[in-house]
Amino acid sequence: MRTEKTLETPSGPYHHGNLRLALVEQGLVLLESSPQGEFSLRELARQVGVSANAAYRHFANKEALLVALAAEGFRRLQAAQVQAAMTVASLKEGFRQAGRAYVRFAQDNPALFRLMFGGLLSNHPSEELSQAAHAAFGTLQTSVAQLLGLDEADHRVTVSAMSAWSVVHGLSHLVLDGQLEHHGHQADALIDEVLARFESV
Amino acid sequence: MRTEKTLETPSGPYHHGNLRLALVEQGLVLLESSPQGEFSLRELARQVGVSANAAYRHFANKEALLVALAAEGFRRLQAAQVQAAMTVASLKEGFRQAGRAYVRFAQDNPALFRLMFGGLLSNHPSEELSQAAHAAFGTLQTSVAQLLGLDEADHRVTVSAMSAWSVVHGLSHLVLDGQLEHHGHQADALIDEVLARFESV
């Protein structure tokens, strides 16, 4: 996490890698705060305190930035799940906690979540994004294999992993769309109850 | 379903209800065929063969039309599921078929599916839309109650229904986003396998 101080130093020199990180970090903030994601690379550069040209050296256009934001999203989602799973002793409970972390990630980062799953993977092939998405899915696949005591390559692991992913993914979308509240449910309580059943992958 | 013939009669008189139906029917076609849903009420009126004013008598603006399209989407989704469930004898198999019909609906009507679950329910309260969404969820609740042999009002029915909905909803989104293919899976085969497990609500 970058500090406020760094972002508040408009004239400060950024090393190449640092500026990219700063643009991604502030890009994530802009994404969540602008309705329909309407912001420009120029605006982002201004907020980070560099020239538009400096920003363009890292991202050829806004699409390229969005792809980088989505990739960072997959890395953070994966990290949040791994961290949540580590807080408990049993594999089963860890799996449930990871599922809860998935839904919480969607709740906390709705615009980023929609971006990550909004067709970028198919429409804008990128090595970075593809790797980040694969790594996130790989973590799930590994957990399911451990839970079931099967080899990761076993087809049953794939089907179980996809089922588990579908549950948390569907739940996340329904929560973001306000469907749970619409049907008169207390979202948080119901999320926990659905996930309690979800241990039995 | 309206026939081609009716839509090809630009000068033909529409009764009040008929025109609304014709606008919704052709609106659904326009929605799926225009990228990002970029079409106007004026364009729709032209395609149906009436003046823009005639269309505005039914829909004050495009938002109102989109709400009507989403409501029609929920009615069709519900009908597709009921019909699929009726094709088989056992409750369990019927439930699985209804789940398959849900995912197929998303595959066949991606833009409509995204519209139905794109925040309209929260952002544009409408009696028609709310009723259609409730009715669709009600069908699911009823099936789950029958399957479990419990009263519809039983909380376990709600949790099971929400779990089942999450699976098919998540799977639908993952399919639309191309995530299954991205992770090297044959989408249709995997959908069937996930749904085969999903009988055990």
Side-chain angles (χ1 to χ4, degrees), chain B residues 23 26-27 30-31 34 36-48 52 55-56 61-63 65-66:
Chain B
L23 290 167
Q26 187 62 20
L30 257 176
L31 179 71
S34 42
Q36 270 99 51
E38 287 148 353
F39 66 90
S40 62
L41 255 181
R42 191 168 291 274
E43 160 76 357
L44 173 60
R46 201 190 52 72
Q47 289 198 4
V48 174
Y56 282 117
N61 49 41
K62 193 178 161 189
E63 296 280 90
L65 171 72
L66 292 179

mmCIF file with all atom_site columns, all heavy atoms in Angstrom, chain B residues 23 26-27 30-31 34 36-48 52 55-56 61-63 65-66:
data_model
loop_
_atom_site.group_PDB
_atom_site.id
_atom_site.type_symbol
_atom_site.label_atom_id
_atom_site.label_alt_id
_atom_site.label_comp_id
_atom_site.label_asym_id
_atom_site.label_entity_id
_atom_site.label_seq_id
_atom_site.pdbx_PDB_ins_code
_atom_site.Cartn_x
_atom_site.Cartn_y
_atom_site.Cartn_z
_atom_site.occupancy
_atom_site.B_iso_or_equiv
_atom_site.pdbx_formal_charge
_atom_site.auth_seq_id
_atom_site.auth_comp_id
_atom_site.auth_asym_id
_atom_site.auth_atom_id
_atom_site.pdbx_PDB_model_num
ATOM 1   N N   . LEU B 1 23 ? -43.708 -2.952 -29.152 1.00 0.00 ? 23 LEU B N   1
ATOM 2   C CA  . LEU B 1 23 ? -42.511 -2.182 -28.779 1.00 0.00 ? 23 LEU B CA  1
ATOM 3   C C   . LEU B 1 23 ? -41.592 -3.023 -27.886 1.00 0.00 ? 23 LEU B C   1
ATOM 4   O O   . LEU B 1 23 ? -40.368 -3.005 -28.034 1.00 0.00 ? 23 LEU B O   1
ATOM 5   C CB  . LEU B 1 23 ? -42.912 -0.880 -28.063 1.00 0.00 ? 23 LEU B CB  1
ATOM 6   C CG  . LEU B 1 23 ? -43.571 0.191  -28.944 1.00 0.00 ? 23 LEU B CG  1
ATOM 7   C CD1 . LEU B 1 23 ? -44.219 1.286  -28.088 1.00 0.00 ? 23 LEU B CD1 1
ATOM 8   C CD2 . LEU B 1 23 ? -42.556 0.810  -29.914 1.00 0.00 ? 23 LEU B CD2 1
ATOM 9   N N   . GLN B 1 26 ? -40.005 -5.873 -30.150 1.00 0.00 ? 26 GLN B N   1
ATOM 10  C CA  . GLN B 1 26 ? -38.932 -5.386 -31.025 1.00 0.00 ? 26 GLN B CA  1
ATOM 11  C C   . GLN B 1 26 ? -37.803 -4.781 -30.184 1.00 0.00 ? 26 GLN B C   1
ATOM 12  O O   . GLN B 1 26 ? -36.633 -4.834 -30.576 1.00 0.00 ? 26 GLN B O   1
ATOM 13  C CB  . GLN B 1 26 ? -39.497 -4.353 -32.022 1.00 0.00 ? 26 GLN B CB  1
ATOM 14  C CG  . GLN B 1 26 ? -38.508 -3.902 -33.091 1.00 0.00 ? 26 GLN B CG  1
ATOM 15  C CD  . GLN B 1 26 ? -38.036 -5.053 -33.984 1.00 0.00 ? 26 GLN B CD  1
ATOM 16  O OE1 . GLN B 1 26 ? -38.691 -6.098 -34.063 1.00 0.00 ? 26 GLN B OE1 1
ATOM 17  N NE2 . GLN B 1 26 ? -36.891 -4.881 -34.617 1.00 0.00 ? 26 GLN B NE2 1
ATOM 18  N N   . GLY B 1 27 ? -38.140 -4.244 -29.013 1.00 0.00 ? 27 GLY B N   1
ATOM 19  C CA  . GLY B 1 27 ? -37.124 -3.706 -28.106 1.00 0.00 ? 27 GLY B CA  1
ATOM 20  C C   . GLY B 1 27 ? -36.154 -4.792 -27.670 1.00 0.00 ? 27 GLY B C   1
ATOM 21  O O   . GLY B 1 27 ? -34.947 -4.568 -27.561 1.00 0.00 ? 27 GLY B O   1
ATOM 22  N N   . LEU B 1 30 ? -33.787 -5.374 -30.545 1.00 0.00 ? 30 LEU B N   1
ATOM 23  C CA  . LEU B 1 30 ? -32.826 -4.264 -30.640 1.00 0.00 ? 30 LEU B CA  1
ATOM 24  C C   . LEU B 1 30 ? -31.779 -4.354 -29.535 1.00 0.00 ? 30 LEU B C   1
ATOM 25  O O   . LEU B 1 30 ? -30.593 -4.113 -29.750 1.00 0.00 ? 30 LEU B O   1
ATOM 26  C CB  . LEU B 1 30 ? -33.567 -2.926 -30.514 1.00 0.00 ? 30 LEU B CB  1
ATOM 27  C CG  . LEU B 1 30 ? -33.812 -2.152 -31.793 1.00 0.00 ? 30 LEU B CG  1
ATOM 28  C CD1 . LEU B 1 30 ? -34.642 -0.910 -31.514 1.00 0.00 ? 30 LEU B CD1 1
ATOM 29  C CD2 . LEU B 1 30 ? -32.477 -1.748 -32.426 1.00 0.00 ? 30 LEU B CD2 1
ATOM 30  N N   . LEU B 1 31 ? -32.223 -4.680 -28.342 1.00 0.00 ? 31 LEU B N   1
ATOM 31  C CA  . LEU B 1 31 ? -31.327 -4.770 -27.187 1.00 0.00 ? 31 LEU B CA  1
ATOM 32  C C   . LEU B 1 31 ? -30.207 -5.776 -27.456 1.00 0.00 ? 31 LEU B C   1
ATOM 33  O O   . LEU B 1 31 ? -29.024 -5.491 -27.224 1.00 0.00 ? 31 LEU B O   1
ATOM 34  C CB  . LEU B 1 31 ? -32.123 -5.204 -25.954 1.00 0.00 ? 31 LEU B CB  1
ATOM 35  C CG  . LEU B 1 31 ? -31.346 -5.371 -24.648 1.00 0.00 ? 31 LEU B CG  1
ATOM 36  C CD1 . LEU B 1 31 ? -30.909 -4.014 -24.116 1.00 0.00 ? 31 LEU B CD1 1
ATOM 37  C CD2 . LEU B 1 31 ? -32.197 -6.098 -23.602 1.00 0.00 ? 31 LEU B CD2 1
ATOM 38  N N   . SER B 1 34 ? -27.840 -4.470 -30.522 1.00 0.00 ? 34 SER B N   1
ATOM 39  C CA  . SER B 1 34 ? -27.027 -3.254 -30.457 1.00 0.00 ? 34 SER B CA  1
ATOM 40  C C   . SER B 1 34 ? -25.996 -3.357 -29.339 1.00 0.00 ? 34 SER B C   1
ATOM 41  O O   . SER B 1 34 ? -26.347 -3.571 -28.188 1.00 0.00 ? 34 SER B O   1
ATOM 42  C CB  . SER B 1 34 ? -27.909 -2.022 -30.245 1.00 0.00 ? 34 SER B CB  1
ATOM 43  O OG  . SER B 1 34 ? -28.910 -2.283 -29.302 1.00 0.00 ? 34 SER B OG  1
ATOM 44  N N   . GLN B 1 36 ? -23.699 -2.552 -26.388 1.00 0.00 ? 36 GLN B N   1
ATOM 45  C CA  . GLN B 1 36 ? -23.899 -1.605 -25.284 1.00 0.00 ? 36 GLN B CA  1
ATOM 46  C C   . GLN B 1 36 ? -25.313 -1.008 -25.241 1.00 0.00 ? 36 GLN B C   1
ATOM 47  O O   . GLN B 1 36 ? -25.516 0.049  -24.639 1.00 0.00 ? 36 GLN B O   1
ATOM 48  C CB  . GLN B 1 36 ? -22.880 -0.453 -25.320 1.00 0.00 ? 36 GLN B CB  1
ATOM 49  C CG  . GLN B 1 36 ? -21.610 -0.748 -24.548 1.00 0.00 ? 36 GLN B CG  1
ATOM 50  C CD  . GLN B 1 36 ? -20.495 -1.206 -25.468 1.00 0.00 ? 36 GLN B CD  1
ATOM 51  O OE1 . GLN B 1 36 ? -20.210 -0.546 -26.449 1.00 0.00 ? 36 GLN B OE1 1
ATOM 52  N NE2 . GLN B 1 36 ? -19.893 -2.331 -25.150 1.00 0.00 ? 36 GLN B NE2 1
ATOM 53  N N   . GLY B 1 37 ? -26.263 -1.682 -25.870 1.00 0.00 ? 37 GLY B N   1
ATOM 54  C CA  . GLY B 1 37 ? -27.649 -1.228 -25.802 1.00 0.00 ? 37 GLY B CA  1
ATOM 55  C C   . GLY B 1 37 ? -27.889 0.182  -26.317 1.00 0.00 ? 37 GLY B C   1
ATOM 56  O O   . GLY B 1 37 ? -28.780 0.883  -25.854 1.00 0.00 ? 37 GLY B O   1
ATOM 57  N N   . GLU B 1 38 ? -27.047 0.579  -27.290 1.00 0.00 ? 38 GLU B N   1
ATOM 58  C CA  . GLU B 1 38 ? -27.177 1.954  -27.795 1.00 0.00 ? 38 GLU B CA  1
ATOM 59  C C   . GLU B 1 38 ? -28.245 2.068  -28.868 1.00 0.00 ? 38 GLU B C   1
ATOM 60  O O   . GLU B 1 38 ? -27.965 1.998  -30.067 1.00 0.00 ? 38 GLU B O   1
ATOM 61  C CB  . GLU B 1 38 ? -25.840 2.444  -28.375 1.00 0.00 ? 38 GLU B CB  1
ATOM 62  C CG  . GLU B 1 38 ? -24.812 2.748  -27.321 1.00 0.00 ? 38 GLU B CG  1
ATOM 63  C CD  . GLU B 1 38 ? -23.410 2.470  -27.815 1.00 0.00 ? 38 GLU B CD  1
ATOM 64  O OE1 . GLU B 1 38 ? -23.277 1.913  -28.919 1.00 0.00 ? 38 GLU B OE1 1
ATOM 65  O OE2 . GLU B 1 38 ? -22.466 2.777  -27.083 1.00 0.00 ? 38 GLU B OE2 1
ATOM 66  N N   . PHE B 1 39 ? -29.477 2.240  -28.456 1.00 0.00 ? 39 PHE B N   1
ATOM 67  C CA  . PHE B 1 39 ? -30.533 2.523  -29.424 1.00 0.00 ? 39 PHE B CA  1
ATOM 68  C C   . PHE B 1 39 ? -31.505 3.483  -28.762 1.00 0.00 ? 39 PHE B C   1
ATOM 69  O O   . PHE B 1 39 ? -31.519 3.614  -27.544 1.00 0.00 ? 39 PHE B O   1
ATOM 70  C CB  . PHE B 1 39 ? -31.237 1.233  -29.879 1.00 0.00 ? 39 PHE B CB  1
ATOM 71  C CG  . PHE B 1 39 ? -31.995 0.552  -28.770 1.00 0.00 ? 39 PHE B CG  1
ATOM 72  C CD1 . PHE B 1 39 ? -33.330 0.880  -28.532 1.00 0.00 ? 39 PHE B CD1 1
ATOM 73  C CD2 . PHE B 1 39 ? -31.392 -0.403 -27.966 1.00 0.00 ? 39 PHE B CD2 1
ATOM 74  C CE1 . PHE B 1 39 ? -34.035 0.256  -27.503 1.00 0.00 ? 39 PHE B CE1 1
ATOM 75  C CE2 . PHE B 1 39 ? -32.088 -1.026 -26.941 1.00 0.00 ? 39 PHE B CE2 1
ATOM 76  C CZ  . PHE B 1 39 ? -33.410 -0.692 -26.706 1.00 0.00 ? 39 PHE B CZ  1
ATOM 77  N N   . SER B 1 40 ? -32.267 4.173  -29.590 1.00 0.00 ? 40 SER B N   1
ATOM 78  C CA  . SER B 1 40 ? -33.190 5.178  -29.051 1.00 0.00 ? 40 SER B CA  1
ATOM 79  C C   . SER B 1 40 ? -34.634 4.701  -29.184 1.00 0.00 ? 40 SER B C   1
ATOM 80  O O   . SER B 1 40 ? -34.941 3.824  -29.989 1.00 0.00 ? 40 SER B O   1
ATOM 81  C CB  . SER B 1 40 ? -33.017 6.488  -29.804 1.00 0.00 ? 40 SER B CB  1
ATOM 82  O OG  . SER B 1 40 ? -33.352 6.283  -31.167 1.00 0.00 ? 40 SER B OG  1
ATOM 83  N N   . LEU B 1 41 ? -35.507 5.292  -28.382 1.00 0.00 ? 41 LEU B N   1
ATOM 84  C CA  . LEU B 1 41 ? -36.938 5.006  -28.496 1.00 0.00 ? 41 LEU B CA  1
ATOM 85  C C   . LEU B 1 41 ? -37.427 5.374  -29.896 1.00 0.00 ? 41 LEU B C   1
ATOM 86  O O   . LEU B 1 41 ? -38.275 4.691  -30.475 1.00 0.00 ? 41 LEU B O   1
ATOM 87  C CB  . LEU B 1 41 ? -37.708 5.830  -27.464 1.00 0.00 ? 41 LEU B CB  1
ATOM 88  C CG  . LEU B 1 41 ? -38.237 5.104  -26.231 1.00 0.00 ? 41 LEU B CG  1
ATOM 89  C CD1 . LEU B 1 41 ? -38.993 6.063  -25.332 1.00 0.00 ? 41 LEU B CD1 1
ATOM 90  C CD2 . LEU B 1 41 ? -39.152 3.954  -26.644 1.00 0.00 ? 41 LEU B CD2 1
ATOM 91  N N   . ARG B 1 42 ? -36.844 6.453  -30.428 1.00 0.00 ? 42 ARG B N   1
ATOM 92  C CA  . ARG B 1 42 ? -37.201 6.921  -31.770 1.00 0.00 ? 42 ARG B CA  1
ATOM 93  C C   . ARG B 1 42 ? -36.909 5.843  -32.819 1.00 0.00 ? 42 ARG B C   1
ATOM 94  O O   . ARG B 1 42 ? -37.743 5.542  -33.677 1.00 0.00 ? 42 ARG B O   1
ATOM 95  C CB  . ARG B 1 42 ? -36.394 8.195  -32.054 1.00 0.00 ? 42 ARG B CB  1
ATOM 96  C CG  . ARG B 1 42 ? -36.780 8.991  -33.270 1.00 0.00 ? 42 ARG B CG  1
ATOM 97  C CD  . ARG B 1 42 ? -36.099 10.356 -33.229 1.00 0.00 ? 42 ARG B CD  1
ATOM 98  N NE  . ARG B 1 42 ? -36.645 11.178 -32.152 1.00 0.00 ? 42 ARG B NE  1
ATOM 99  C CZ  . ARG B 1 42 ? -37.733 11.934 -32.287 1.00 0.00 ? 42 ARG B CZ  1
ATOM 100 N NH1 . ARG B 1 42 ? -38.372 11.996 -33.449 1.00 0.00 ? 42 ARG B NH1 1
ATOM 101 N NH2 . ARG B 1 42 ? -38.179 12.636 -31.271 1.00 0.00 ? 42 ARG B NH2 1
ATOM 102 N N   . GLU B 1 43 ? -35.717 5.262  -32.699 1.00 0.00 ? 43 GLU B N   1
ATOM 103 C CA  . GLU B 1 43 ? -35.300 4.199  -33.618 1.00 0.00 ? 43 GLU B CA  1
ATOM 104 C C   . GLU B 1 43 ? -36.242 2.989  -33.494 1.00 0.00 ? 43 GLU B C   1
ATOM 105 O O   . GLU B 1 43 ? -36.651 2.379  -34.480 1.00 0.00 ? 43 GLU B O   1
ATOM 106 C CB  . GLU B 1 43 ? -33.846 3.788  -33.266 1.00 0.00 ? 43 GLU B CB  1
ATOM 107 C CG  . GLU B 1 43 ? -33.372 2.431  -33.760 1.00 0.00 ? 43 GLU B CG  1
ATOM 108 C CD  . GLU B 1 43 ? -33.057 2.427  -35.236 1.00 0.00 ? 43 GLU B CD  1
ATOM 109 O OE1 . GLU B 1 43 ? -33.270 3.469  -35.870 1.00 0.00 ? 43 GLU B OE1 1
ATOM 110 O OE2 . GLU B 1 43 ? -32.623 1.382  -35.748 1.00 0.00 ? 43 GLU B OE2 1
ATOM 111 N N   . LEU B 1 44 ? -36.582 2.671  -32.246 1.00 0.00 ? 44 LEU B N   1
ATOM 112 C CA  . LEU B 1 44 ? -37.490 1.552  -32.006 1.00 0.00 ? 44 LEU B CA  1
ATOM 113 C C   . LEU B 1 44 ? -38.854 1.825  -32.646 1.00 0.00 ? 44 LEU B C   1
ATOM 114 O O   . LEU B 1 44 ? -39.424 0.951  -33.318 1.00 0.00 ? 44 LEU B O   1
ATOM 115 C CB  . LEU B 1 44 ? -37.644 1.316  -30.498 1.00 0.00 ? 44 LEU B CB  1
ATOM 116 C CG  . LEU B 1 44 ? -38.689 0.272  -30.073 1.00 0.00 ? 44 LEU B CG  1
ATOM 117 C CD1 . LEU B 1 44 ? -38.365 -1.098 -30.640 1.00 0.00 ? 44 LEU B CD1 1
ATOM 118 C CD2 . LEU B 1 44 ? -38.784 0.195  -28.547 1.00 0.00 ? 44 LEU B CD2 1
ATOM 119 N N   . ALA B 1 45 ? -39.356 3.034  -32.443 1.00 0.00 ? 45 ALA B N   1
ATOM 120 C CA  . ALA B 1 45 ? -40.658 3.405  -33.016 1.00 0.00 ? 45 ALA B CA  1
ATOM 121 C C   . ALA B 1 45 ? -40.621 3.244  -34.537 1.00 0.00 ? 45 ALA B C   1
ATOM 122 O O   . ALA B 1 45 ? -41.539 2.672  -35.147 1.00 0.00 ? 45 ALA B O   1
ATOM 123 C CB  . ALA B 1 45 ? -41.000 4.847  -32.645 1.00 0.00 ? 45 ALA B CB  1
ATOM 124 N N   . ARG B 1 46 ? -39.524 3.711  -35.136 1.00 0.00 ? 46 ARG B N   1
ATOM 125 C CA  . ARG B 1 46 ? -39.375 3.623  -36.590 1.00 0.00 ? 46 ARG B CA  1
ATOM 126 C C   . ARG B 1 46 ? -39.439 2.158  -37.043 1.00 0.00 ? 46 ARG B C   1
ATOM 127 O O   . ARG B 1 46 ? -40.139 1.809  -37.983 1.00 0.00 ? 46 ARG B O   1
ATOM 128 C CB  . ARG B 1 46 ? -38.037 4.240  -37.011 1.00 0.00 ? 46 ARG B CB  1
ATOM 129 C CG  . ARG B 1 46 ? -37.958 4.664  -38.479 1.00 0.00 ? 46 ARG B CG  1
ATOM 130 C CD  . ARG B 1 46 ? -36.550 5.038  -38.880 1.00 0.00 ? 46 ARG B CD  1
ATOM 131 N NE  . ARG B 1 46 ? -35.538 4.035  -38.551 1.00 0.00 ? 46 ARG B NE  1
ATOM 132 C CZ  . ARG B 1 46 ? -35.409 2.859  -39.187 1.00 0.00 ? 46 ARG B CZ  1
ATOM 133 N NH1 . ARG B 1 46 ? -36.220 2.550  -40.166 1.00 0.00 ? 46 ARG B NH1 1
ATOM 134 N NH2 . ARG B 1 46 ? -34.462 1.999  -38.812 1.00 0.00 ? 46 ARG B NH2 1
ATOM 135 N N   . GLN B 1 47 ? -38.723 1.285  -36.306 1.00 0.00 ? 47 GLN B N   1
ATOM 136 C CA  . GLN B 1 47 ? -38.689 -0.129 -36.684 1.00 0.00 ? 47 GLN B CA  1
ATOM 137 C C   . GLN B 1 47 ? -40.065 -0.787 -36.568 1.00 0.00 ? 47 GLN B C   1
ATOM 138 O O   . GLN B 1 47 ? -40.389 -1.704 -37.310 1.00 0.00 ? 47 GLN B O   1
ATOM 139 C CB  . GLN B 1 47 ? -37.678 -0.889 -35.821 1.00 0.00 ? 47 GLN B CB  1
ATOM 140 C CG  . GLN B 1 47 ? -36.240 -0.543 -36.157 1.00 0.00 ? 47 GLN B CG  1
ATOM 141 C CD  . GLN B 1 47 ? -35.258 -1.587 -35.639 1.00 0.00 ? 47 GLN B CD  1
ATOM 142 O OE1 . GLN B 1 47 ? -35.661 -2.606 -35.089 1.00 0.00 ? 47 GLN B OE1 1
ATOM 143 N NE2 . GLN B 1 47 ? -33.984 -1.314 -35.824 1.00 0.00 ? 47 GLN B NE2 1
ATOM 144 N N   . VAL B 1 48 ? -40.842 -0.326 -35.589 1.00 0.00 ? 48 VAL B N   1
ATOM 145 C CA  . VAL B 1 48 ? -42.169 -0.918 -35.394 1.00 0.00 ? 48 VAL B CA  1
ATOM 146 C C   . VAL B 1 48 ? -43.170 -0.262 -36.358 1.00 0.00 ? 48 VAL B C   1
ATOM 147 O O   . VAL B 1 48 ? -44.258 -0.774 -36.569 1.00 0.00 ? 48 VAL B O   1
ATOM 148 C CB  . VAL B 1 48 ? -42.595 -0.781 -33.913 1.00 0.00 ? 48 VAL B CB  1
ATOM 149 C CG1 . VAL B 1 48 ? -44.022 -1.237 -33.699 1.00 0.00 ? 48 VAL B CG1 1
ATOM 150 C CG2 . VAL B 1 48 ? -41.660 -1.618 -33.022 1.00 0.00 ? 48 VAL B CG2 1
ATOM 151 N N   . ALA B 1 52 ? -42.693 8.498  -33.231 1.00 0.00 ? 52 ALA B N   1
ATOM 152 C CA  . ALA B 1 52 ? -42.029 8.559  -31.921 1.00 0.00 ? 52 ALA B CA  1
ATOM 153 C C   . ALA B 1 52 ? -43.050 8.913  -30.844 1.00 0.00 ? 52 ALA B C   1
ATOM 154 O O   . ALA B 1 52 ? -43.028 8.346  -29.743 1.00 0.00 ? 52 ALA B O   1
ATOM 155 C CB  . ALA B 1 52 ? -40.903 9.582  -31.950 1.00 0.00 ? 52 ALA B CB  1
ATOM 156 N N   . ALA B 1 55 ? -44.911 5.995  -29.553 1.00 0.00 ? 55 ALA B N   1
ATOM 157 C CA  . ALA B 1 55 ? -44.091 5.193  -28.639 1.00 0.00 ? 55 ALA B CA  1
ATOM 158 C C   . ALA B 1 55 ? -43.998 5.864  -27.276 1.00 0.00 ? 55 ALA B C   1
ATOM 159 O O   . ALA B 1 55 ? -44.072 5.191  -26.235 1.00 0.00 ? 55 ALA B O   1
ATOM 160 C CB  . ALA B 1 55 ? -42.696 4.992  -29.228 1.00 0.00 ? 55 ALA B CB  1
ATOM 161 N N   . TYR B 1 56 ? -43.851 7.192  -27.276 1.00 0.00 ? 56 TYR B N   1
ATOM 162 C CA  . TYR B 1 56 ? -43.738 7.918  -26.000 1.00 0.00 ? 56 TYR B CA  1
ATOM 163 C C   . TYR B 1 56 ? -45.003 7.826  -25.169 1.00 0.00 ? 56 TYR B C   1
ATOM 164 O O   . TYR B 1 56 ? -44.979 8.020  -23.973 1.00 0.00 ? 56 TYR B O   1
ATOM 165 C CB  . TYR B 1 56 ? -43.363 9.396  -26.248 1.00 0.00 ? 56 TYR B CB  1
ATOM 166 C CG  . TYR B 1 56 ? -41.899 9.591  -26.553 1.00 0.00 ? 56 TYR B CG  1
ATOM 167 C CD1 . TYR B 1 56 ? -41.470 10.102 -27.782 1.00 0.00 ? 56 TYR B CD1 1
ATOM 168 C CD2 . TYR B 1 56 ? -40.927 9.242  -25.615 1.00 0.00 ? 56 TYR B CD2 1
ATOM 169 C CE1 . TYR B 1 56 ? -40.122 10.269 -28.071 1.00 0.00 ? 56 TYR B CE1 1
ATOM 170 C CE2 . TYR B 1 56 ? -39.572 9.397  -25.892 1.00 0.00 ? 56 TYR B CE2 1
ATOM 171 C CZ  . TYR B 1 56 ? -39.182 9.921  -27.113 1.00 0.00 ? 56 TYR B CZ  1
ATOM 172 O OH  . TYR B 1 56 ? -37.847 10.069 -27.389 1.00 0.00 ? 56 TYR B OH  1
ATOM 173 N N   . ASN B 1 61 ? -39.638 7.435  -21.411 1.00 0.00 ? 61 ASN B N   1
ATOM 174 C CA  . ASN B 1 61 ? -38.258 7.573  -21.868 1.00 0.00 ? 61 ASN B CA  1
ATOM 175 C C   . ASN B 1 61 ? -37.655 6.175  -22.031 1.00 0.00 ? 61 ASN B C   1
ATOM 176 O O   . ASN B 1 61 ? -38.328 5.174  -21.791 1.00 0.00 ? 61 ASN B O   1
ATOM 177 C CB  . ASN B 1 61 ? -37.439 8.413  -20.872 1.00 0.00 ? 61 ASN B CB  1
ATOM 178 C CG  . ASN B 1 61 ? -37.656 7.910  -19.446 1.00 0.00 ? 61 ASN B CG  1
ATOM 179 O OD1 . ASN B 1 61 ? -37.704 6.699  -19.215 1.00 0.00 ? 61 ASN B OD1 1
ATOM 180 N ND2 . ASN B 1 61 ? -37.817 8.832  -18.501 1.00 0.00 ? 61 ASN B ND2 1
ATOM 181 N N   . LYS B 1 62 ? -36.395 6.154  -22.397 1.00 0.00 ? 62 LYS B N   1
ATOM 182 C CA  . LYS B 1 62 ? -35.764 4.862  -22.661 1.00 0.00 ? 62 LYS B CA  1
ATOM 183 C C   . LYS B 1 62 ? -35.655 4.011  -21.398 1.00 0.00 ? 62 LYS B C   1
ATOM 184 O O   . LYS B 1 62 ? -35.794 2.783  -21.453 1.00 0.00 ? 62 LYS B O   1
ATOM 185 C CB  . LYS B 1 62 ? -34.387 5.063  -23.294 1.00 0.00 ? 62 LYS B CB  1
ATOM 186 C CG  . LYS B 1 62 ? -33.851 3.760  -23.856 1.00 0.00 ? 62 LYS B CG  1
ATOM 187 C CD  . LYS B 1 62 ? -32.525 3.929  -24.533 1.00 0.00 ? 62 LYS B CD  1
ATOM 188 C CE  . LYS B 1 62 ? -31.823 2.591  -24.670 1.00 0.00 ? 62 LYS B CE  1
ATOM 189 N NZ  . LYS B 1 62 ? -30.445 2.741  -25.134 1.00 0.00 ? 62 LYS B NZ  1
ATOM 190 N N   . GLU B 1 63 ? -35.415 4.667  -20.261 1.00 0.00 ? 63 GLU B N   1
ATOM 191 C CA  . GLU B 1 63 ? -35.333 3.931  -18.995 1.00 0.00 ? 63 GLU B CA  1
ATOM 192 C C   . GLU B 1 63 ? -36.613 3.140  -18.759 1.00 0.00 ? 63 GLU B C   1
ATOM 193 O O   . GLU B 1 63 ? -36.580 1.993  -18.326 1.00 0.00 ? 63 GLU B O   1
ATOM 194 C CB  . GLU B 1 63 ? -35.160 4.919  -17.817 1.00 0.00 ? 63 GLU B CB  1
ATOM 195 C CG  . GLU B 1 63 ? -33.878 5.710  -17.848 1.00 0.00 ? 63 GLU B CG  1
ATOM 196 C CD  . GLU B 1 63 ? -32.695 4.911  -17.330 1.00 0.00 ? 63 GLU B CD  1
ATOM 197 O OE1 . GLU B 1 63 ? -32.022 4.237  -18.127 1.00 0.00 ? 63 GLU B OE1 1
ATOM 198 O OE2 . GLU B 1 63 ? -32.451 4.985  -16.123 1.00 0.00 ? 63 GLU B OE2 1
ATOM 199 N N   . LEU B 1 65 ? -38.669 2.047  -20.937 1.00 0.00 ? 65 LEU B N   1
ATOM 200 C CA  . LEU B 1 65 ? -38.691 0.900  -21.849 1.00 0.00 ? 65 LEU B CA  1
ATOM 201 C C   . LEU B 1 65 ? -37.794 -0.216 -21.316 1.00 0.00 ? 65 LEU B C   1
ATOM 202 O O   . LEU B 1 65 ? -38.186 -1.390 -21.297 1.00 0.00 ? 65 LEU B O   1
ATOM 203 C CB  . LEU B 1 65 ? -38.210 1.318  -23.249 1.00 0.00 ? 65 LEU B CB  1
ATOM 204 C CG  . LEU B 1 65 ? -37.990 0.131  -24.213 1.00 0.00 ? 65 LEU B CG  1
ATOM 205 C CD1 . LEU B 1 65 ? -39.311 -0.473 -24.659 1.00 0.00 ? 65 LEU B CD1 1
ATOM 206 C CD2 . LEU B 1 65 ? -37.150 0.535  -25.421 1.00 0.00 ? 65 LEU B CD2 1
ATOM 207 N N   . LEU B 1 66 ? -36.591 0.140  -20.860 1.00 0.00 ? 66 LEU B N   1
ATOM 208 C CA  . LEU B 1 66 ? -35.655 -0.876 -20.362 1.00 0.00 ? 66 LEU B CA  1
ATOM 209 C C   . LEU B 1 66 ? -36.254 -1.625 -19.171 1.00 0.00 ? 66 LEU B C   1
ATOM 210 O O   . LEU B 1 66 ? -36.093 -2.840 -19.044 1.00 0.00 ? 66 LEU B O   1
ATOM 211 C CB  . LEU B 1 66 ? -34.318 -0.231 -19.968 1.00 0.00 ? 66 LEU B CB  1
ATOM 212 C CG  . LEU B 1 66 ? -33.489 0.328  -21.137 1.00 0.00 ? 66 LEU B CG  1
ATOM 213 C CD1 . LEU B 1 66 ? -32.196 0.972  -20.633 1.00 0.00 ? 66 LEU B CD1 1
ATOM 214 C CD2 . LEU B 1 66 ? -33.165 -0.757 -22.168 1.00 0.00 ? 66 LEU B CD2 1
#
